[in-house]
Amino acid sequence: MGTYNKGILGAFYGKVGTVVGSTWRGKDVMRSLPRRSNRAASLLQQQQRDKFTLVTNFLLPISTIPGRYFGAKGGLKTQRNQAMSYLMKQAALHNGTEAYWDFPKILLTRGDLLGLATLTATPDTNQAVTVNWVNNSGQGNADATDTVLAVAYEETSGLIWSAELIATRDTETVTLPLPTYWSGLAVHVWIAVVAADGKKYATSQYLNTITLD
């Protein structure tokens, strides 16, 4: 039950009649109650729902990464919502039966910091992946102290591994100790760099599919 005791020009919170009052991003907002529908979802609606579920499940374990490092801060859309919107439109596809990923188009971070140069990734012993790059510090806005983060995804299980602050731009290499139960499986890997103060970040880079030893 909502309360409405500040007059017509005042804010209110909760449900009053057919409208709902709430606070969104520091602003008082009012919206109408959604209407219930008994209609079955259209094919397009069902495909959008499938894509939404795919994207939501994928982002849930790593939501703090796009939530801090995707797009512009302080706009009408949160950074996580910007990531959701991008993935829904650009990376999530549907074949008429189920939603699936166009993996090279997946972005987990999106910004103006210069990314890593000449990235390569190779499987290492004990279900690890070694990533190498060329130190491009001093080019553009790249700095030697920029930190590296990594995300790995195993499609069969739908599980995600992630780690931040695992290297700096000038180290030129890092080994990702992935879960042992991924042995023999193919994983998708992304790398991104973030400025030491967290204020600038690069667009994530996809390293393709890597089959673990």
Side-chain angles (χ1 to χ4, degrees):
M1 176 67 69
T3 58
Y4 188 32
N5 49 24
K6 292 187 178 181
I8 195 166
L9 298 180
F12 71 95
Y13 306 97
K15 184 173 72 172
V16 177
T18 60
V19 296
V20 176
S22 61
T23 299
W24 179 75
R25 297 181 68 82
K27 297 180 180 180
D28 297 315
V29 296
M30 183 173 63
R31 59 182 173 80
S32 61
L33 288 171
R35 295 182 179 180
R36 294 184 178 179
S37 175
N38 294 323
R39 293 182 179 179
S42 67
L43 178 60
L44 181 59
Q45 287 172 328
Q46 187 58 54
Q47 290 180 356
Q48 285 298 103
R49 291 175 185 177
D50 291 344
K51 290 166 65 175
F52 182 83
T53 299
L54 179 74
V55 174
T56 300
N57 290 342
F58 180 75
L59 286 182
L60 186 61
I62 55 168
S63 60
T64 58
I65 292 176
R68 286 174 290 156
Y69 306 132
F70 201 102
K73 299 179 181 179
L76 293 178
K77 282 187 176 182
T78 66
Q79 289 173 279
R80 185 182 185 279
N81 285 343
Q82 291 176 60
M84 283 283 298
S85 177
Y86 169 83
L87 293 173
M88 286 281 293
K89 294 176 181 178
Q90 303 297 331
L93 305 177
H94 205 288
N95 60 14
T97 302
E98 61 182 0
Y100 65 98
W101 288 114
D102 184 349
F103 282 101
K105 291 186 178 179
I106 291 177
L107 297 181
L108 302 179
T109 65
R110 193 176 193 181
D112 297 327
L113 183 64
L114 184 66
L116 299 176
T118 321
L119 268 172
T120 61
T122 55
D124 210 329
T125 57
N126 300 319
Q127 298 77 52
V129 171
T130 295
V131 181
N132 297 296
W133 60 89
V134 173
N135 180 13
N136 56 353
S137 302
Q139 297 180 17
N141 57 0
D143 192 274
T145 60
D146 296 337
T147 64
V148 177
L149 67 83
V151 174
Y153 174 70
E154 198 285 299
E155 189 173 7
T156 303
S157 64
L159 297 178
I160 288 184
W161 173 96
S162 66
E164 299 185 53
L165 304 174
I166 54 176
T168 52
R169 189 187 294 268
D170 61 352
T171 62
E172 297 193 322
T173 187
V174 68
T175 297
L176 314 180
L178 301 182
T180 57
Y181 50 83
W182 282 357
S183 176
L185 299 178
V187 297
H188 301 270
V189 178
W190 294 263
I191 292 287
V193 284
V194 178
D197 62 6
K199 294 182 179 180
K200 297 190 296 292
Y201 33 89
T203 297
S204 59
Q205 296 166 271
Y206 178 58
L207 295 179
N208 218 318
T209 306
I210 302 164
T211 301
L212 302 179
D213 292 339

Coordinates of all heavy atoms in Angstrom, one line a residue, residues 57-70 87 101 103 106-109 116 119 121 129 131 147-155 158-166 174-179 182 186-194 202-210 212:
N57 N 21.7 -14.8 -17.5 CA 22.4 -15.9 -16.9 C 23.9 -15.8 -17.1 O 24.7 -16.2 -16.2 CB 21.9 -17.3 -17.4 CG 20.5 -17.6 -16.9 OD1 20.0 -17.0 -16.0 ND2 19.9 -18.5 -17.6
F58 N 24.3 -15.3 -18.2 CA 25.7 -15.1 -18.5 C 26.4 -14.0 -17.7 O 27.5 -14.2 -17.1 CB 25.9 -14.8 -20.0 CG 27.3 -14.6 -20.5 CD1 28.1 -15.7 -20.6 CD2 27.8 -13.3 -20.7 CE1 29.5 -15.5 -21.1 CE2 29.1 -13.1 -21.2 CZ 29.9 -14.2 -21.3
L59 N 25.6 -12.9 -17.5 CA 26.2 -11.8 -16.8 C 26.1 -11.9 -15.3 O 26.9 -11.3 -14.6 CB 25.5 -10.5 -17.2 CG 25.8 -9.9 -18.6 CD1 25.0 -8.6 -18.7 CD2 27.3 -9.6 -18.7
L60 N 25.2 -12.7 -14.8 CA 25.0 -12.8 -13.3 C 26.3 -13.0 -12.5 O 26.5 -12.3 -11.5 CB 23.9 -13.8 -13.0 CG 23.5 -13.9 -11.5 CD1 22.9 -12.6 -11.1 CD2 22.5 -15.0 -11.4
P61 N 27.1 -14.0 -12.9 CA 28.3 -14.3 -12.0 C 29.4 -13.2 -12.1 O 30.2 -13.1 -11.3 CB 28.8 -15.6 -12.6 CG 27.7 -16.2 -13.4 CD 27.0 -15.0 -13.9
I62 N 29.3 -12.4 -13.2 CA 30.4 -11.4 -13.4 C 29.8 -10.0 -13.5 O 30.4 -9.1 -14.1 CB 31.2 -11.7 -14.7 CG1 30.2 -11.8 -15.9 CG2 32.0 -12.9 -14.5 CD1 30.9 -11.8 -17.2
S63 N 28.6 -9.8 -12.9 CA 27.9 -8.5 -13.1 C 28.7 -7.3 -12.6 O 28.5 -6.2 -13.1 CB 26.5 -8.5 -12.4 OG 26.7 -8.8 -11.0
T64 N 29.6 -7.5 -11.6 CA 30.4 -6.3 -11.2 C 31.3 -5.8 -12.2 O 31.7 -4.6 -12.1 CB 31.1 -6.7 -9.9 OG1 32.0 -7.7 -10.1 CG2 30.2 -7.0 -8.7
I65 N 31.7 -6.6 -13.1 CA 32.7 -6.2 -14.2 C 32.0 -5.2 -15.2 O 32.5 -4.1 -15.3 CB 33.4 -7.4 -14.9 CG1 34.3 -8.1 -13.9 CG2 34.2 -6.9 -16.1 CD1 34.9 -9.4 -14.4
P66 N 31.0 -5.6 -15.9 CA 30.3 -4.6 -16.8 C 29.6 -3.5 -15.9 O 29.5 -2.4 -16.4 CB 29.3 -5.5 -17.5 CG 29.1 -6.7 -16.7 CD 30.4 -7.0 -16.1
G67 N 29.3 -3.9 -14.7 CA 28.7 -2.8 -13.8 C 29.6 -1.7 -13.5 O 29.1 -0.6 -13.1
R68 N 30.9 -1.9 -13.7 CA 31.8 -0.8 -13.4 C 32.6 -0.3 -14.7 O 33.0 0.8 -14.7 CB 32.9 -1.3 -12.4 CG 32.4 -1.4 -11.0 CD 33.5 -2.0 -10.1 NE 33.7 -3.4 -10.4 CZ 34.8 -4.1 -10.2 NH1 35.8 -3.5 -9.7 NH2 34.8 -5.4 -10.5
Y69 N 32.7 -1.2 -15.7 CA 33.6 -0.9 -16.8 C 32.9 -1.0 -18.2 O 33.5 -1.3 -19.2 CB 34.7 -1.9 -16.8 CG 35.5 -1.9 -15.5 CD1 35.8 -3.1 -14.8 CD2 35.9 -0.8 -14.8 CE1 36.5 -3.2 -13.6 CE2 36.6 -0.8 -13.6 CZ 36.9 -2.0 -13.0 OH 37.5 -2.1 -11.8
F70 N 31.6 -0.7 -18.3 CA 30.9 -0.8 -19.6 C 30.2 0.5 -19.9 O 29.3 0.9 -19.2 CB 29.9 -1.9 -19.6 CG 29.6 -2.4 -21.0 CD1 30.1 -3.6 -21.5 CD2 28.7 -1.6 -21.8 CE1 29.8 -4.0 -22.8 CE2 28.4 -2.0 -23.1 CZ 29.0 -3.2 -23.6
L87 N 24.6 -6.6 -25.5 CA 24.6 -8.1 -25.8 C 23.3 -8.6 -26.4 O 23.3 -9.5 -27.3 CB 24.9 -8.8 -24.5 CG 26.3 -8.6 -23.9 CD1 26.4 -9.2 -22.5 CD2 27.4 -9.1 -24.8
W101 N 25.0 -17.8 -28.6 CA 26.0 -16.6 -28.6 C 26.7 -16.6 -29.9 O 27.1 -17.6 -30.5 CB 27.0 -16.8 -27.5 CG 26.5 -16.5 -26.1 CD1 26.4 -17.3 -25.1 CD2 26.1 -15.2 -25.6 NE1 25.9 -16.7 -24.0 CE2 25.7 -15.4 -24.3 CE3 26.0 -13.9 -26.2 CZ2 25.2 -14.4 -23.5 CZ3 25.5 -12.9 -25.4 CH2 25.1 -13.1 -24.0
F103 N 30.0 -15.5 -30.1 CA 31.1 -15.3 -29.1 C 32.0 -14.1 -29.5 O 32.4 -13.3 -28.6 CB 31.8 -16.5 -28.8 CG 31.1 -17.5 -27.9 CD1 30.4 -18.6 -28.4 CD2 31.0 -17.2 -26.5 CE1 29.7 -19.4 -27.6 CE2 30.3 -18.1 -25.7 CZ 29.6 -19.2 -26.2
I106 N 30.8 -10.7 -28.2 CA 30.6 -10.5 -26.8 C 31.6 -9.5 -26.3 O 32.8 -9.6 -26.5 CB 30.7 -11.8 -26.0 CG1 29.5 -12.7 -26.3 CG2 30.7 -11.4 -24.5 CD1 29.5 -14.0 -25.6
L107 N 31.1 -8.4 -25.7 CA 32.0 -7.4 -25.0 C 31.6 -7.5 -23.5 O 30.4 -7.5 -23.1 CB 31.8 -6.0 -25.5 CG 32.2 -5.8 -27.0 CD1 31.9 -4.3 -27.3 CD2 33.6 -6.2 -27.2
L108 N 32.6 -7.5 -22.6 CA 32.4 -7.5 -21.2 C 32.7 -6.2 -20.5 O 32.3 -5.9 -19.5 CB 33.1 -8.6 -20.5 CG 32.8 -10.0 -21.0 CD1 33.6 -11.1 -20.3 CD2 31.3 -10.3 -20.9
T109 N 33.6 -5.4 -21.2 CA 33.9 -4.1 -20.8 C 33.9 -3.2 -22.1 O 34.1 -3.8 -23.2 CB 35.3 -3.9 -20.2 OG1 36.3 -4.3 -21.1 CG2 35.4 -4.9 -19.0
L116 N 45.3 -4.1 -25.0 CA 46.6 -4.8 -25.1 C 47.0 -5.1 -26.6 O 46.1 -5.3 -27.4 CB 46.6 -6.1 -24.3 CG 46.4 -5.9 -22.8 CD1 46.3 -7.2 -22.1 CD2 47.4 -5.0 -22.1
L119 N 47.8 -9.8 -28.6 CA 47.4 -10.8 -27.7 C 47.5 -12.2 -28.2 O 47.0 -12.5 -29.4 CB 46.0 -10.5 -27.2 CG 45.8 -9.6 -26.0 CD1 44.3 -9.3 -25.8 CD2 46.3 -10.3 -24.7
A121 N 47.0 -16.5 -26.7 CA 46.6 -17.4 -25.6 C 46.9 -18.8 -26.0 O 46.5 -19.3 -27.1 CB 45.2 -17.2 -25.2
V129 N 45.6 -21.5 -18.8 CA 45.8 -20.8 -20.0 C 46.8 -19.7 -19.8 O 46.7 -18.8 -18.9 CB 44.5 -20.2 -20.6 CG1 44.7 -19.3 -21.8 CG2 43.5 -21.3 -20.9
V131 N 48.5 -16.3 -21.2 CA 48.2 -15.2 -22.2 C 49.4 -14.3 -22.2 O 50.0 -13.9 -21.2 CB 46.9 -14.4 -21.7 CG1 46.6 -13.2 -22.6 CG2 45.7 -15.3 -21.5
T147 N 45.9 -2.3 -15.0 CA 45.7 -3.7 -14.5 C 44.9 -4.5 -15.5 O 44.1 -4.0 -16.3 CB 45.0 -3.7 -13.2 OG1 43.7 -3.2 -13.3 CG2 45.8 -2.9 -12.1
V148 N 45.1 -5.8 -15.4 CA 44.5 -6.8 -16.3 C 43.5 -7.6 -15.6 O 43.7 -8.0 -14.5 CB 45.6 -7.7 -16.9 CG1 45.0 -8.8 -17.8 CG2 46.7 -6.9 -17.7
L149 N 42.4 -7.8 -16.3 CA 41.3 -8.8 -15.8 C 41.0 -9.8 -16.9 O 41.3 -9.5 -18.1 CB 40.1 -8.0 -15.3 CG 39.2 -7.3 -16.4 CD1 38.2 -8.3 -17.1 CD2 38.4 -6.2 -15.7
A150 N 40.5 -10.9 -16.5 CA 40.3 -12.0 -17.4 C 39.0 -12.7 -17.0 O 38.6 -12.8 -15.9 CB 41.4 -13.0 -17.4
V151 N 38.3 -13.2 -18.1 CA 37.0 -13.9 -17.9 C 37.1 -15.2 -18.8 O 37.5 -15.0 -20.0 CB 35.8 -13.1 -18.3 CG1 34.5 -14.0 -18.2 CG2 35.6 -11.9 -17.3
A152 N 36.7 -16.3 -18.3 CA 36.7 -17.5 -19.1 C 35.3 -18.2 -18.9 O 34.7 -18.2 -17.8 CB 37.8 -18.5 -18.7
Y153 N 34.8 -18.7 -20.0 CA 33.4 -19.3 -20.0 C 33.4 -20.7 -20.6 O 34.0 -20.9 -21.7 CB 32.5 -18.4 -20.8 CG 31.1 -18.9 -21.0 CD1 30.2 -19.0 -19.9 CD2 30.7 -19.2 -22.3 CE1 28.9 -19.5 -20.1 CE2 29.4 -19.7 -22.5 CZ 28.5 -19.8 -21.4 OH 27.2 -20.3 -21.6
E154 N 32.9 -21.6 -19.9 CA 32.7 -23.0 -20.5 C 31.3 -23.2 -20.9 O 30.4 -23.2 -20.0 CB 33.2 -24.0 -19.4 CG 33.5 -25.4 -20.0 CD 32.3 -26.2 -20.4 OE1 31.5 -26.5 -19.5 OE2 32.1 -26.5 -21.6
E155 N 31.0 -23.4 -22.1 CA 29.7 -23.3 -22.7 C 28.8 -24.5 -22.2 O 27.6 -24.3 -21.9 CB 29.7 -23.3 -24.2 CG 28.4 -23.0 -24.8 CD 28.5 -22.7 -26.3 OE1 29.6 -22.9 -26.9 OE2 27.5 -22.4 -26.9
G158 N 27.9 -23.9 -18.7 CA 27.4 -22.5 -18.5 C 28.1 -21.8 -17.3 O 27.7 -20.8 -16.8
L159 N 29.3 -22.3 -16.9 CA 30.0 -21.8 -15.8 C 31.0 -20.7 -16.2 O 31.6 -20.9 -17.3 CB 30.7 -22.9 -15.0 CG 29.8 -23.9 -14.3 CD1 30.6 -24.9 -13.6 CD2 28.8 -23.2 -13.3
I160 N 31.3 -19.7 -15.4 CA 32.2 -18.7 -15.7 C 33.3 -18.5 -14.6 O 32.9 -18.7 -13.4 CB 31.5 -17.3 -15.9 CG1 30.7 -17.3 -17.2 CG2 32.4 -16.1 -15.9 CD1 30.0 -16.0 -17.5
W161 N 34.5 -18.3 -15.0 CA 35.6 -18.0 -14.1 C 36.1 -16.6 -14.4 O 36.2 -16.2 -15.6 CB 36.7 -19.0 -14.3 CG 38.0 -18.7 -13.6 CD1 38.4 -19.2 -12.4 CD2 39.1 -17.8 -14.0 NE1 39.6 -18.8 -12.0 CE2 40.1 -17.9 -12.9 CE3 39.3 -17.0 -15.1 CZ2 41.3 -17.2 -13.0 CZ3 40.5 -16.3 -15.1 CH2 41.4 -16.4 -14.1
S162 N 36.4 -15.8 -13.4 CA 36.9 -14.5 -13.6 C 37.9 -14.1 -12.6 O 37.9 -14.6 -11.4 CB 35.7 -13.4 -13.6 OG 35.1 -13.3 -12.4
A163 N 38.8 -13.2 -12.9 CA 39.8 -12.6 -11.9 C 40.2 -11.2 -12.4 O 40.3 -10.9 -13.5 CB 41.0 -13.6 -11.9
E164 N 40.4 -10.4 -11.4 CA 40.8 -9.0 -11.6 C 42.2 -8.8 -11.0 O 42.6 -9.6 -10.1 CB 39.8 -8.0 -11.1 CG 38.4 -8.1 -11.7 CD 37.5 -7.0 -11.3 OE1 37.9 -5.9 -11.4 OE2 36.4 -7.4 -10.8
L165 N 42.9 -7.7 -11.4 CA 44.2 -7.3 -10.8 C 45.2 -8.5 -10.9 O 46.0 -8.7 -10.0 CB 44.0 -6.9 -9.4 CG 43.0 -5.8 -9.1 CD1 42.8 -5.5 -7.6 CD2 43.4 -4.5 -9.8
I166 N 45.2 -9.2 -12.0 CA 46.0 -10.4 -12.1 C 47.4 -10.1 -12.8 O 48.3 -11.0 -12.8 CB 45.3 -11.5 -12.9 CG1 44.8 -11.0 -14.2 CG2 44.1 -12.1 -12.1 CD1 44.2 -12.1 -15.1
V174 N 50.5 -13.5 -18.3 CA 49.7 -13.9 -17.1 C 49.2 -15.3 -17.4 O 48.9 -15.7 -18.5 CB 48.6 -13.0 -16.8 CG1 47.5 -13.0 -17.8 CG2 48.0 -13.3 -15.4
T175 N 49.2 -16.2 -16.4 CA 48.6 -17.5 -16.5 C 47.3 -17.6 -15.7 O 47.3 -17.2 -14.5 CB 49.6 -18.5 -15.9 OG1 50.8 -18.5 -16.7 CG2 49.0 -19.9 -16.0
L176 N 46.3 -18.1 -16.4 CA 45.0 -18.2 -15.8 C 44.8 -19.6 -15.2 O 44.7 -20.5 -16.0 CB 43.9 -17.9 -16.8 CG 44.1 -16.6 -17.7 CD1 43.0 -16.5 -18.7 CD2 44.3 -15.4 -16.9
P177 N 44.7 -19.8 -13.9 CA 44.5 -21.1 -13.3 C 43.0 -21.5 -13.3 O 42.3 -21.3 -12.3 CB 45.0 -20.9 -11.9 CG 44.7 -19.5 -11.6 CD 44.8 -18.7 -12.9
L178 N 42.5 -22.1 -14.4 CA 41.1 -22.4 -14.6 C 40.7 -23.6 -13.8 O 41.6 -24.4 -13.4 CB 40.8 -22.5 -16.0 CG 41.1 -21.3 -16.9 CD1 40.7 -21.5 -18.3 CD2 40.4 -20.0 -16.3
P179 N 39.5 -23.8 -13.5 CA 39.0 -25.0 -12.7 C 39.5 -26.3 -13.3 O 39.5 -26.6 -14.5 CB 37.5 -24.9 -12.8 CG 37.2 -23.4 -13.0 CD 38.3 -23.0 -13.9
W182 N 37.4 -28.5 -15.7 CA 37.3 -28.1 -17.1 C 38.3 -28.8 -18.0 O 38.5 -28.5 -19.2 CB 37.5 -26.6 -17.3 CG 36.3 -25.8 -16.9 CD1 35.1 -26.3 -16.5 CD2 36.2 -24.4 -16.9 NE1 34.2 -25.2 -16.2 CE2 34.9 -24.1 -16.4 CE3 37.0 -23.3 -17.2 CZ2 34.4 -22.7 -16.3 CZ3 36.6 -22.0 -17.1 CH2 35.3 -21.7 -16.6
A186 N 36.6 -27.1 -24.0 CA 36.9 -25.8 -24.7 C 36.3 -24.7 -23.9 O 35.2 -24.7 -23.5 CB 36.4 -25.8 -26.1
V187 N 37.1 -23.6 -23.8 CA 36.7 -22.4 -23.1 C 36.9 -21.2 -23.9 O 37.7 -21.1 -24.8 CB 37.4 -22.2 -21.7 CG1 37.2 -23.4 -20.8 CG2 38.9 -22.1 -21.9
H188 N 36.0 -20.2 -23.7 CA 36.1 -18.9 -24.3 C 36.8 -17.9 -23.3 O 36.4 -17.9 -22.2 CB 34.8 -18.4 -24.7 CG 34.0 -19.3 -25.7 ND1 34.1 -19.2 -27.0 CD2 33.2 -20.3 -25.4 CE1 33.4 -20.2 -27.6 NE2 32.8 -20.9 -26.6
V189 N 37.7 -17.1 -23.8 CA 38.5 -16.2 -22.9 C 38.4 -14.8 -23.4 O 38.6 -14.5 -24.6 CB 39.9 -16.7 -22.8 CG1 40.7 -15.8 -21.9 CG2 40.0 -18.1 -22.2
W190 N 38.2 -13.9 -22.4 CA 38.3 -12.4 -22.7 C 39.3 -11.8 -21.8 O 39.4 -12.2 -20.6 CB 36.9 -11.8 -22.5 CG 35.9 -12.2 -23.4 CD1 35.5 -11.6 -24.6 CD2 35.0 -13.4 -23.3 NE1 34.4 -12.2 -25.2 CE2 34.1 -13.4 -24.4 CE3 34.9 -14.4 -22.4 CZ2 33.2 -14.3 -24.6 CZ3 34.0 -15.4 -22.6 CH2 33.1 -15.3 -23.7
I191 N 40.0 -10.8 -22.3 CA 40.9 -10.0 -21.5 C 40.6 -8.5 -21.6 O 40.1 -8.1 -22.7 CB 42.4 -10.2 -22.0 CG1 42.9 -11.6 -21.8 CG2 43.3 -9.2 -21.4 CD1 43.2 -11.9 -20.3
A192 N 40.7 -7.8 -20.5 CA 40.5 -6.3 -20.6 C 41.5 -5.7 -19.6 O 42.0 -6.3 -18.7 CB 39.1 -6.0 -20.2
V193 N 41.8 -4.4 -19.9 CA 42.7 -3.6 -19.0 C 41.9 -2.4 -18.4 O 41.0 -1.9 -19.1 CB 43.9 -3.2 -19.7 CG1 44.9 -4.3 -19.9 CG2 43.6 -2.5 -21.1
V194 N 42.3 -2.1 -17.2 CA 41.7 -1.0 -16.4 C 42.8 -0.1 -15.9 O 43.8 -0.7 -15.3 CB 40.8 -1.6 -15.3 CG1 40.1 -0.4 -14.5 CG2 39.7 -2.5 -15.8
A202 N 39.4 -0.3 -21.0 CA 39.5 -0.6 -22.4 C 38.3 -1.5 -22.7 O 37.6 -2.1 -21.9 CB 40.8 -1.4 -22.7
T203 N 38.0 -1.6 -24.0 CA 37.0 -2.6 -24.5 C 37.6 -4.0 -24.4 O 38.8 -4.2 -24.8 CB 36.6 -2.2 -25.9 OG1 36.0 -0.9 -25.9 CG2 35.6 -3.3 -26.5
S204 N 36.9 -4.9 -23.9 CA 37.4 -6.3 -23.7 C 37.8 -6.9 -25.1 O 37.2 -6.6 -26.1 CB 36.4 -7.2 -23.0 OG 35.2 -7.2 -23.8
Q205 N 38.8 -7.8 -25.0 CA 39.3 -8.5 -26.2 C 39.1 -10.0 -26.1 O 39.4 -10.6 -25.1 CB 40.8 -8.1 -26.4 CG 41.1 -6.7 -26.6 CD 42.5 -6.3 -26.4 OE1 43.0 -6.0 -25.3 NE2 43.3 -6.4 -27.5
Y206 N 38.5 -10.5 -27.2 CA 38.1 -11.9 -27.2 C 39.3 -12.7 -27.7 O 39.9 -12.4 -28.8 CB 36.9 -12.1 -28.1 CG 36.5 -13.6 -28.3 CD1 36.1 -14.4 -27.2 CD2 36.4 -14.2 -29.5 CE1 35.7 -15.7 -27.3 CE2 36.0 -15.5 -29.7 CZ 35.6 -16.2 -28.6 OH 35.2 -17.5 -28.8
L207 N 39.7 -13.8 -27.0 CA 40.8 -14.6 -27.4 C 40.5 -16.0 -28.0 O 41.3 -16.9 -28.0 CB 41.7 -14.9 -26.1 CG 42.4 -13.6 -25.6 CD1 43.2 -13.9 -24.3 CD2 43.2 -12.9 -26.6
N208 N 39.2 -16.1 -28.5 CA 38.8 -17.3 -29.2 C 38.6 -18.5 -28.2 O 38.6 -18.3 -27.0 CB 39.7 -17.6 -30.3 CG 39.0 -18.1 -31.5 OD1 38.0 -18.9 -31.4 ND2 39.4 -17.7 -32.7
T209 N 38.5 -19.6 -28.8 CA 38.2 -20.9 -28.1 C 39.5 -21.6 -27.8 O 40.3 -21.8 -28.7 CB 37.3 -21.8 -28.8 OG1 36.1 -21.1 -29.2 CG2 36.9 -23.0 -28.0
I210 N 39.7 -22.0 -26.6 CA 40.9 -22.7 -26.2 C 40.6 -24.0 -25.5 O 39.8 -24.0 -24.6 CB 41.8 -21.8 -25.2 CG1 42.1 -20.5 -25.9 CG2 43.0 -22.5 -24.8 CD1 42.6 -19.4 -24.9
L212 N 41.5 -26.9 -23.1 CA 42.4 -27.1 -22.0 C 43.0 -28.5 -22.0 O 42.4 -29.5 -22.4 CB 41.6 -26.9 -20.7 CG 40.9 -25.5 -20.5 CD1 40.2 -25.4 -19.2 CD2 42.0 -24.4 -20.7

